[in-house]
Amino acid sequence: MNHQVKPPQDNLTKVMEFVLLGFADMPHLQWFLFGLFLIIYIIILMSNGTIFLITKMDPALQSPMYFFLANYSFLEICYVSTTFPRMLMNLGTQRRRISLVACATQMYFFFTFGSTECLLLAVMAYDRFVAICNPLHYPLVMNHRVCIQLVTGSWATGIPVQIGQTYQIFSLPFCGSKQINHFFCDIPQILKLACGDTFVNEMLVYILSVLFVMVPFLLILGSYSKIIFIILKLPSATSQAKAFSTCSSHLMVVMLFFGSGIIAYLRPNTRHSEGNDKVLSLFYTILTPVFNPMIYSLRNKDVKIALRKLLCK
């Protein structure tokens, strides 16, 4: 790890704001990017909002699976809203300054919602595991009280952890360059601007990434390995195809989200490239929220029927 040595106190200048460079290296594409990301943001809000609405209104979608899907869609709206408005404002106004407090707030909410998403995807995988591997016990195991507890735990677990991590990072002294070569306040880029020894902070990032990214990911893989084993034992090809269809959409979202997240936060610091970091960030901040409603609606018969009902009213 490349942790920095703290310079003499006389050379420190107190940084009160940063500059989010974002896509400043593409000056001729600023308005094109503004229009593109604005359209994407509207699509994410409308599509995830629609899924949330129909899962709450349609009586046919009042099951644990759709209860988790509604929470996931609402979470995606919160998740993208931590980065998109600031990114659009920077592209539209070309004023890229962000205060220390605003940067810390953005980082806190981004990683709190990100942690929640990792845990909620694991909960959704467990729901599918119980539904397919223990169908007779499914109503008993996944009762309403258990569903509420699982969702509450997913939302609440990351809050104290991210408060502590954000406080620890922004307690570091910052000096020299104020430029963040990213479109949001991401931890690796902030640590590069710190003057103090960042070894403890970097270790904390790895530990939390293992706990909130790798552990849920391994639990999801474990659930799906058992699901696939059960599916392969089904007597007919039709039953196998139906079971695979139920789970494949969730697995697609999981691989896209966790794959980019693991590469971004668990690879060695020596392999960090600011350009690559921005590209990877686009996967888990933009592509997953865009694909989530399309995958779930286009590959789910019940959601499509509920959507038709809503549009015909």
Side-chain angles (χ1 to χ4, degrees):
M1 281 190 191
N2 292 331
H3 54 93
Q4 303 166 15
V5 178
K6 186 175 181 178
Q9 192 68 28
D10 294 340
N11 293 338
L12 292 176
T13 56
K14 192 171 183 180
V15 174
M16 298 303 295
E17 63 180 13
F18 296 111
V19 178
L20 283 170
L21 294 180
F23 303 96
D25 54 339
M26 296 181 279
H28 302 299
L29 295 176
Q30 297 298 294
W31 285 107
F32 169 76
L33 291 174
F34 175 83
L36 176 65
F37 289 136
L38 179 61
I39 292 170
I40 291 173
Y41 186 45
I42 292 171
I43 290 172
I44 291 172
L45 294 182
M46 292 183 64
S47 55
N48 281 284
T50 302
I51 288 183
F52 178 80
L53 187 65
I54 61 176
T55 51
K56 291 297 181 183
M57 292 178 59
D58 196 298
L61 302 182
Q62 303 308 305
S63 67
M65 175 181 170
Y66 297 109
F67 173 72
F68 296 133
L69 179 57
N71 274 273
Y72 186 61
S73 296
F74 178 71
L75 174 62
E76 290 286 57
I77 292 172
C78 298
Y79 183 62
V80 298
S81 296
T82 61
T83 55
F84 265 86
R86 171 68 65 171
M87 180 171 62
L88 291 170
M89 186 182 74
N90 291 348
L91 285 168
T93 64
Q94 299 300 306
R95 297 174 184 172
R96 299 186 174 90
R97 295 176 183 272
I98 182 171
S99 69
L100 201 71
V101 173
C103 190
T105 302
Q106 185 186 58
M107 178 187 288
Y108 163 73
F109 280 108
F110 179 81
F111 284 99
T112 297
F113 292 139
S115 302
T116 302
E117 183 157 352
C118 293
L119 296 174
L120 194 55
L121 285 169
V123 167
M124 293 169 75
Y126 175 68
D127 172 69
R128 292 299 84 209
F129 164 74
V130 177
I132 292 173
C133 299
N134 297 290
L136 296 178
H137 294 93
Y138 181 70
L140 181 64
V141 175
M142 300 303 293
N143 60 63
H144 185 67
R145 183 175 60 85
V146 170
C147 292
I148 293 290
Q149 290 174 343
L150 289 171
V151 168
T152 303
S154 299
W155 279 90
T157 301
I159 293 174
V161 175
Q162 295 306 330
I163 287 175
Q165 177 169 249
T166 304
Y167 175 79
Q168 190 179 40
I169 288 173
F170 282 87
S171 295
L172 291 168
F174 296 99
C175 62
S177 174
K178 299 188 295 182
Q179 296 182 341
I180 302 172
N181 191 10
H182 214 310
F183 56 87
F184 71 98
C185 292
D186 201 3
I187 290 177
Q189 281 67 38
I190 295 295
L191 289 179
K192 287 178 183 179
L193 304 182
C195 297
D197 188 345
T198 61
F199 177 76
V200 173
N201 302 88
E202 291 170 2
M203 287 304 300
L204 183 61
V205 171
Y206 280 115
I207 292 169
L208 293 181
S209 297
V210 169
L211 290 176
F212 284 98
V213 180
M214 280 305 298
V215 171
F217 183 60
L218 292 175
L219 290 173
I220 291 169
L221 290 183
S223 296
Y224 275 104
S225 63
K226 291 184 178 181
I227 287 170
I228 292 170
F229 178 75
I230 293 295
I231 289 173
L232 293 175
K233 292 172 67 176
L234 293 174
S236 67
T238 305
S239 300
Q240 290 180 357
K242 185 177 179 180
F244 270 121
S245 178
T246 304
C247 300
S248 59
S249 57
H250 182 213
L251 199 54
M252 289 168 64
V253 175
V254 165
M255 297 306 294
L256 181 64
F257 180 75
F258 279 97
S260 54
I262 288 169
I263 295 171
Y265 295 104
L266 285 174
R267 74 188 192 276
N269 274 6
T270 52
R271 297 185 182 180
H272 273 267
S273 162
E274 291 176 340
N276 290 338
D277 285 347
K278 273 194 279 192
V279 173
L280 281 170
S281 298
L282 291 174
F283 278 92
Y284 56 81
T285 58
I286 295 177
L287 289 183
T288 304
V290 168
F291 287 149
N292 166 47
M294 288 191 289
I295 288 170
Y296 277 109
S297 60
L298 293 177
R299 298 177 62 86
N300 189 299
K301 188 184 294 182
D302 294 334
V303 172
K304 286 190 284 187
I305 292 172
L307 187 58
R308 286 195 201 102
K309 288 181 187 176
L310 182 67
L311 294 175
C312 291
K313 284 184 179 181

